[in-house]
Amino acid sequence: QSLLVESGGGLVQPGGSLRLSCTASGFRLDNYAIGWFRRAPGKEREGVSCINSSGGNTNYADSVKGRFTVSRDNAKNTVYLQMNSLKPEDTAIYYCAARNYYCSSYAYDYWGQGTQVTVSS
């Protein structure tokens, strides 16, 4: 079973918004950087965003800069990905993943099962 759980996906029209949530099952996320990844149809998984354990550092893929915002509320043990101005190209399964403290392009220890985001008119 996955140690992380994503929620908030769904069907939205182009230009719409969704907020994804990532929560941990049975442990706190305070000491973990959380990355967001996605796998679009016919494509390899790609990194979307990351927030370090303190929340003081965030990263975004060029394709989502200015549209997506990652944040965390450690009191709620939750990391969010606010997605605005959604495009059909954003259609994918979105995953969150955890690694100790700092964002990285690799070596994430825990993963969720993913949540489907579909952007279509």
Side-chain angles (χ1 to χ4, degrees):
Q1 292 293 105
S2 297
L3 295 180
L4 302 178
V5 179
E6 304 92 343
S7 62
L11 174 64
V12 65
Q13 293 185 338
S17 298
L18 288 171
R19 187 178 73 165
L20 306 184
S21 298
C22 176
T23 61
S25 176
F27 68 99
R28 295 204 59 81
L29 294 175
D30 301 52
N31 294 328
Y32 293 90
I34 301 296
W36 287 96
F37 300 82
R38 67 186 182 187
R39 188 185 297 276
K43 296 183 178 180
E44 297 296 320
R45 186 173 63 203
E46 64 176 340
V48 175
S49 183
C50 186
I51 185 167
N52 71 354
S53 60
S54 71
N57 184 54
T58 58
N59 298 312
Y60 300 93
D62 288 343
S63 59
V64 307
K65 284 181 179 177
R67 300 188 297 120
F68 290 11
T69 302
V70 64
S71 62
R72 69 190 304 154
D73 186 341
N74 284 346
K76 296 183 180 294
N77 208 36
T78 301
V79 175
Y80 304 99
L81 184 67
Q82 179 68 46
M83 306 185 296
N84 298 325
S85 302
L86 283 162
K87 304 175 180 179
E89 305 96 285
D90 296 318
T91 295
I93 301 174
Y94 283 73
Y95 304 87
C96 62
R99 70 187 307 279
N100 285 338
Y101 296 107
Y102 307 111
C103 291
S104 175
S105 61
Y106 61 92
Y108 286 83
D109 300 302
Y110 310 113
W111 290 81
Q113 291 289 313
T115 185
Q116 177 70 50
V117 172
T118 303
V119 184
S120 177
S121 60

